[in-house]
Amino acid sequence: MEEDRYDIDTRDMYGILEKFPGQIASAIKLGENIKITEIIDRIVVTGMGGSALAGDILQTYLKDEKIPVH
């Protein structure tokens, strides 16, 4: 008996990961025309659960810029 992918991947994580590159491309397009004209002196990232990872990555990326990320 051949096992169906969805027997194991009941939440379709494989499908979600397949869509990820397209989601990144869409996110880049969303930000292309944003112009920041003021000095950034702090950044606040909000979210729940795994969303904290984005803030952790940004905090590490900007560590030498002396911009606090909370």
Side-chain angles (χ1 to χ4, degrees), residues 2-22:
E2 187 174 316
E3 199 165 28
D4 186 74
R5 173 178 113 194
Y6 298 103
D7 290 339
I8 296 170
D9 186 10
T10 59
R11 295 187 178 190
D12 193 27
M13 292 304 294
Y14 184 83
I16 291 169
L17 288 173
E18 274 186 321
K19 295 175 186 171
F20 189 64

Side-chain angles (χ1 to χ4, degrees), residues 24-57:
I24 295 296
S26 294
I28 290 170
K29 276 189 156 190
L30 284 173
E32 282 179 344
N33 295 320
I34 294 175
K35 304 289 185 241
I36 299 172
T37 58
E38 298 176 16
I39 295 173
I40 298 172
D41 59 356
R42 67 187 158 280
I43 298 171
V44 177
V45 179
T46 62
M48 294 176 58
S51 300
L53 180 60
D56 292 341
I57 291 169

Side-chain angles (χ1 to χ4, degrees), residues 53-68:
L53 180 60
D56 292 341
I57 291 169
L58 183 62
Q59 190 174 44
T60 300
Y61 180 75
L62 294 176
K63 71 178 184 218
D64 295 331
E65 299 296 322
K66 309 292 188 242
I67 301 171

